[in-house]
Amino acid sequence: MGTPAPVAPVLERLCRVPEVDVVAAVTPPDRERGRGRRSEPPPMKETAQRLGVLVLQPDTLRSRSVQNQLAGLEADAIVVAAYGRLLPSAILEMPSHGCLNLHPSLLPRHRGPSPVATAILEGNEVTGISVMLLDEGMDTGPLIAQWDYALTGQETTGELTDTLFDLGAELLVEILPPWVRGELQAQPQDSAGATVSRKLERADGAADWTLPAEALARQCRAYTPWPGLYTRWEGKTLKLLGVTAFPAYRTGAAVPGQVITAVSGNGIHVVTGRGVLALERVQLEGRRAVSGEEFLRGYPDISEARLAVGP
């Protein structure tokens, strides 16, 4: 069970394991997207069809007919990776070896919907991938296995998500056969160390220039690809696609959001609550993405601007 492109390697790796017979891939129904409202399949569906795996796309998992259909597959285990829906107890109890969930954090840290972005936002030095046995809670089930992953401090959420699910695919194929043979035991999570991430909203990406420059730089990486870090200038949205923090730079009497003389190189530099943020790559609403230096040449008035703080 899965949906987005980053979890496609999980299905692909499972299909290459001799001991594993993938009987079906379960993913949400196709959705209409874009201005033309064209129907687009979930990436998991496209991967499954390419691999010759049966695809099921139920609107709900609580339907008795859907549950009977899943039961008819006689699966020994269900693997869940970014499926996006909670499984009802009837399905959790269905496979003899349980429902195994791949979660891109070191549980019990960063339970919930945004574990990867949260690890970046909080400046974690280490994250990882967990394989847990699903229960009816939100990422609260017992742990089967975990692998650590050291962060460089340069990853975006998109890049790190891909990396962690690639890692998770390796971990899963390593532990699945011994798990089914009864050679591994799941261990309860330590609830005392639990933290919960929240669902990201579009408004989260609005730059609050009163924050420290380093925090804004982490937001830029954490909110890539969505919702993105952005600000407002002359009534238009200015996307901040690449930034560099200068936390030690003293800004004197300048106020947060004020554009000042270049600190390093010839580009756009914005005063923050602590230090300065260099806008290395930006995109004005309705325009193409350009370097900060090129944008400054095309729109010199921004050098005297004070950018909006927050939404």
Side-chain angles (χ1 to χ4, degrees):
M1 295 182 171
T3 304
V7 302
V10 179
L11 178 59
E12 292 178 343
R13 290 296 300 275
L14 285 172
C15 286
R16 295 202 297 265
V17 179
E19 301 98 320
V20 175
D21 177 20
V22 179
V23 294
V26 181
T27 194
D30 296 1
R31 300 296 186 197
E32 292 183 349
R33 302 182 187 278
R35 293 181 180 178
R37 309 306 295 167
R38 295 180 58 183
S39 180
E40 291 187 9
M44 179 61 76
K45 176 181 180 179
E46 296 178 313
T47 301
Q49 290 178 327
R50 175 168 53 80
L51 296 170
V53 175
L54 171 68
V55 176
L56 303 178
Q57 296 181 273
D59 284 315
T60 175
L61 296 178
R62 299 191 178 278
S63 160
R64 181 63 62 84
S65 62
V66 169
Q67 293 176 6
N68 288 340
Q69 183 182 30
L70 293 176
L73 297 172
E74 299 183 347
D76 299 302
I78 294 176
V79 171
V80 183
Y83 179 54
R85 297 179 180 177
L86 292 175
L87 274 59
S89 57
I91 293 178
L92 291 174
E93 298 166 0
M94 196 174 289
S96 56
H97 295 286
C99 298
L100 281 63
N101 182 54
L102 275 175
H103 186 80
S105 81
L106 294 176
L107 292 169
R109 197 173 192 184
H110 304 327
R111 294 172 176 171
S114 306
V116 179
T118 302
I120 295 173
L121 286 171
E122 295 187 358
N124 294 167
E125 295 182 354
V126 177
T127 185
I129 190 78
S130 301
V131 180
M132 54 167 286
L133 196 60
L134 277 178
D135 60 15
E136 293 191 68
M138 175 67 77
D139 303 322
T140 56
L143 294 169
I144 300 172
Q146 291 181 315
W147 277 353
D148 294 354
Y149 182 80
L151 297 176
T152 66
Q154 300 300 317
E155 299 90 350
T156 67
T157 288
E159 293 165 348
L160 185 55
T161 299
D162 288 344
T163 297
L164 292 177
F165 277 113
D166 281 343
L167 193 66
E170 294 181 23
L171 176 58
L172 184 66
V173 299
E174 181 174 303
I175 64 98
L176 188 56
W179 167 256
V180 171
R181 293 194 297 265
E183 298 169 3
L184 297 176
Q185 297 296 319
Q187 302 297 323
Q189 293 186 36
D190 178 8
S191 58
T195 63
V196 180
S197 65
R198 65 176 180 83
K199 184 178 180 180
L200 297 180
E201 305 290 345
R202 167 65 177 164
D204 290 328
D208 180 353
W209 298 109
T210 65
L211 293 175
E214 289 181 310
L216 288 162
R218 289 197 299 270
Q219 286 185 348
C220 185
R221 293 187 293 108
Y223 297 154
T224 300
W226 192 88
L229 185 65
Y230 58 90
T231 190
R232 299 285 293 176
W233 179 62
E234 294 191 344
K236 293 185 177 181
T237 297
L238 181 65
K239 296 180 181 179
L240 314 181
L241 305 179
V243 302
T244 299
F246 294 88
Y249 187 84
R250 296 185 178 182
T251 57
V255 295
Q258 186 173 335
V259 179
I260 62 173
T261 303
V263 175
S264 174
N266 299 311
I268 307 169
H269 296 77
V270 186
V271 175
T272 72
R274 186 171 67 244
V276 167
L277 193 71
L279 310 188
E280 308 285 359
R281 190 166 179 79
V282 298
Q283 184 176 12
L284 187 64
E285 183 180 332
R287 302 291 183 177
R288 64 183 179 88
V290 296
S291 69
E293 185 175 353
E294 183 178 350
F295 187 88
L296 185 59
R297 289 199 301 267
Y299 300 92
D301 288 351
I302 199 172
S303 63
E304 300 175 357
R306 183 181 178 189
L307 302 176
V309 175

